[in-house]
Amino acid sequence: MSAGAALEFTGERFTPECVREIWYEHWHRYALVRSWARGRRVLDAACGEGYGSALLAGVAESVLGLDVDPVAVAHARSRYAGTSNLSFDQADATRLSLPAASFDLVVSFETLEHVAAQDGLLDGLSHALSDDGLLVISSPDKATYGDAAGFRNEFHVRELYRDEFEQLLRARFTHVRVYAQRLLFQSAIWSLDPPTLETAGHYVTASSDGQVEEGLVYAPMYFIAVCSRRPLPPLPATSWFGDRDESVYRHYNHEIRKNMSAGARIAELEAQLEAALQRERAAAPGPTDGVAEPPRQSWWRRWAGGPD
């Protein structure tokens, strides 16, 4: 993936420089479909910055990334230049006029909730998809993302409940499987034996530069062995354990909010101190000829009330 100037993060679209939860959520979606893109003609509708299109281009026959924002398209063309099977064009995803059945895999992540013309979006994507192709599309669950959290995203036009989401899809596709996505804190136990097709599952590990590897590529903290004098019975390839109350996550969120609040208060106090010092300098008489100006206290000692 090419290095280059970052696209400004405004809150409307993800950029690879984002961190924490949003980084996991957005990269995981593209990592999930990467193996499905192998050797296929791929459309990434509302591709934004272009990072996901570039990731899929590593295995696809070809990838076309479309976005309505000319700034994002220009950025993607510059940042991910040099990949012969990857291209970017400007287009409104709700008014596509692509040739019928011209793509084998169509992805559109976190687009649906940003547009009012949701039927137009899905009609265009369906038209561009081959008969045996796959459409992979994501959208936040209004019940959890908005209602339960009491949160309103200013960039979202219409969020959907699960039944509304499925209704839109089943009107155009006979077969629909809905997956859930959520960032969780879990304890993971996984087999170190080479996986078989039956036990492999789908696990991918991404590094901070966006490179993706198949499998759980982590150094073990502990080893757990299962032993027997006879052939082992069928054993699970992985085991995941977590608490429904997400106590670790709740503590993490509490600390993040506390640190952000403290940072804002510190910035406010620094601004007040700087303003007070400027008023003091403006009011103080100039030094007398031949007499040195007395040294000033450091601002933080002045604030703390201690000697310099």
Side-chain angles (χ1 to χ4, degrees):
M1 188 172 294
S2 304
L7 189 66
E8 180 185 3
F9 178 69
T10 65
E12 185 173 11
R13 65 170 60 85
F14 171 81
T15 66
E17 288 71 32
C18 292
V19 295
R20 295 189 294 272
E21 294 96 333
I22 191 173
W23 186 89
Y24 278 84
E25 292 166 349
H26 283 70
W27 276 108
H28 191 179
R29 296 174 196 129
Y30 281 103
L32 171 68
V33 302
R34 187 171 182 265
S35 62
W36 304 342
R38 190 173 303 279
R40 294 191 171 193
R41 302 166 297 167
V42 179
L43 170 65
D44 186 4
C47 65
E49 191 270 357
Y51 70 99
S53 302
L55 179 65
L56 300 182
V59 297
E61 176 185 316
S62 62
V63 177
L64 172 62
L66 300 178
D67 200 90
V68 71
D69 183 3
V71 174
V73 172
H75 165 87
R77 287 173 173 170
S78 174
R79 188 170 196 179
Y80 305 107
T83 304
S84 60
N85 66 334
L86 174 63
S87 60
F88 296 95
D89 284 325
Q90 183 185 358
D92 182 346
T94 67
R95 304 178 64 181
L96 295 179
S97 56
L98 296 166
S102 51
F103 295 94
D104 310 303
L105 174 66
V106 174
V107 300
S108 190
F109 295 135
E110 303 306 281
T111 309
L112 201 57
E113 67 278 7
H114 287 263
V115 300
Q118 295 177 342
D119 285 297
L121 171 67
L122 288 169
D123 285 343
L125 300 183
S126 176
H127 178 76
L129 186 67
S130 62
D131 286 343
D132 59 349
L134 294 175
L135 167 67
V136 187
I137 187 166
S138 71
S139 189
D141 176 16
K142 185 177 180 180
T144 304
Y145 183 93
D147 296 350
F151 174 67
R152 181 185 178 277
N153 189 317
E154 62 181 301
F155 299 107
H156 290 183
V157 175
R158 184 194 173 208
E159 294 173 2
L160 300 169
Y161 296 108
R162 177 178 174 178
D163 61 327
E164 296 173 321
F165 182 51
E166 288 198 49
Q167 183 178 356
L168 282 170
L169 299 176
R170 294 188 187 280
R172 296 162 177 84
F173 298 95
T174 306
H175 303 282
V176 176
R177 174 177 289 183
V178 178
Y179 289 88
Q181 182 187 21
R182 183 183 181 117
L183 189 64
L184 304 172
F185 276 85
Q186 302 263 293
S187 171
I189 297 173
W190 66 95
S191 172
L192 296 178
D193 294 334
T196 65
L197 290 177
E198 291 77 16
T199 64
H202 186 262
Y203 307 105
V204 289
T205 306
S207 55
S208 58
D209 62 359
Q211 298 300 311
V212 173
E213 296 181 68
E214 296 291 331
L216 292 168
V217 190
Y218 297 95
M221 183 67 69
Y222 308 98
F223 292 114
I224 300 172
V226 180
C227 310
S228 174
R229 298 185 188 281
R230 301 287 180 91
L232 290 172
L235 298 173
T238 59
S239 174
W240 302 90
F241 174 85
D243 65 310
R244 189 176 297 173
D245 291 335
E246 296 185 304
S247 56
V248 176
Y249 202 17
R250 284 163 53 191
H251 178 262
Y252 164 82
N253 281 331
H254 171 73
E255 291 300 311
I256 289 292
R257 287 192 295 267
K258 186 170 67 174
N259 291 338
M260 291 175 66
S261 178
R265 181 57 177 158
I266 290 171
E268 181 184 350
L269 290 172
E270 287 179 337
Q272 292 174 1
L273 288 167
E274 180 60 29
L277 288 174
Q278 289 181 0
R279 289 194 297 270
E280 183 179 324
R281 294 190 191 103
T288 305
D289 289 344
V291 179
E293 184 177 8
R296 296 184 182 274
Q297 281 186 310
S298 301
W299 68 267
W300 59 272
R301 292 190 183 277
R302 189 185 300 269
W303 173 67
D308 207 6

